[in-house]
């Protein structure tokens, strides 16, 4: 349990996994937070592909995921997903967050990608409570890894306190599994 999941504090744009995941919004036109950093470091090729995707299929619904180049970053691909905005918990936020993780991993699998870095989706501008989001993120990824053989899923947490939160939840969940 959890052996292919790694937790680090850092910047997602510097990761050397084959893909990194972007906490985007439905427009796919960029924004602040992780999204801003990814477009800034990766360069204009990412936005060019995002525009093509939106022209083809429209805005990206919450919980769905699509893939583009990672431009100038070490990773080869960016998987863009849209997490839910937190409204208090009674608008399907948990399930939508689960879908964001699951669909991102499915896109990775469909593209023969076996190493992926995730940020903590929805816990910045979208205000999803960090502990609740971390539990959903870790459980969803762990369940997916039981069924599908990815080599590494790395959570890249921006702050020391977010890393601590994820660590304590892994500790708690893995004790429950035995
Ligand atoms: N690397 C890793 N984590 C980061 C980085 C980074 N470079 N920068 C910020 N974080 P957010 P959301 C952390 O707001 O809540 C955007 O404008 C951050 O501290 O990026 O899903 C989009 O366009 C927080 O813990 O994403 C959307 O409109 C986490 O990443 C909206 O924000 C997520 O924060 C999406 O909001």
């Amino acid at each position: 349990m959890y052996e292919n999941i790694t937790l680090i504090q850092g910047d997602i744009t510097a990761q050397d996994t084959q893909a990194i995941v972007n906490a985007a919004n439905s427009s796919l036109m960029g924004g602040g937070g992780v999204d801003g950093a990814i477009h800034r470091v990766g360069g204009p090729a990412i936005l060019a592909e995002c525009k093509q995707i939106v022209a083809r299929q429209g805005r990206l619904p919450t919980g769905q995921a699509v893939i583009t180049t990672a431009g100038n970053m070490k990773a080869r691909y960016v998987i863009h997903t849209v997490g839910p905005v937190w409204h208090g918990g009674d608008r399907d936020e948990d399930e939508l967050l689960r879908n964001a993780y699951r669909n991102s991993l499915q896109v990775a699998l469909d593209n023969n990608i076996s190493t992926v870095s995730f940020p903590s989706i929805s816990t910045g501008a979208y205000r999803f409570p960090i502990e609740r989001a971390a539990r959903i993120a870790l459980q969803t990824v762990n369940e997916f890894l039981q069924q599908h053989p990815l080599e590494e899923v790395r959570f890249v947490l921006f702050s020391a306190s977010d890393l601590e939160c994820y660590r304590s939840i892994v500790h708690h969940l893995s004790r429950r599994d035995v």
Side-chain angles (χ1 to χ4, degrees), residues 10-12 23-25 30-35 37 120-126 156 158 162:
D11 180 345
I12 197 137
N25 61 64
V34 182
D35 198 6
S120 182
I121 298 167
S122 283
T123 64
Y126 283 178
V156 182
F158 213 38
D162 285 357

Side-chain angles (χ1 to χ4, degrees), residues 127-149:
R127 302 182 317 274
F128 205 116
I130 182 80
E131 283 198 13
R132 184 163 172 154
R135 188 169 296 116
I136 289 168
L138 289 160
Q139 277 178 327
T140 304
V141 169
N142 189 53
E143 272 164 33
F144 195 92
L145 292 179
Q146 305 302 308
Q147 323 261 324
H148 307 285

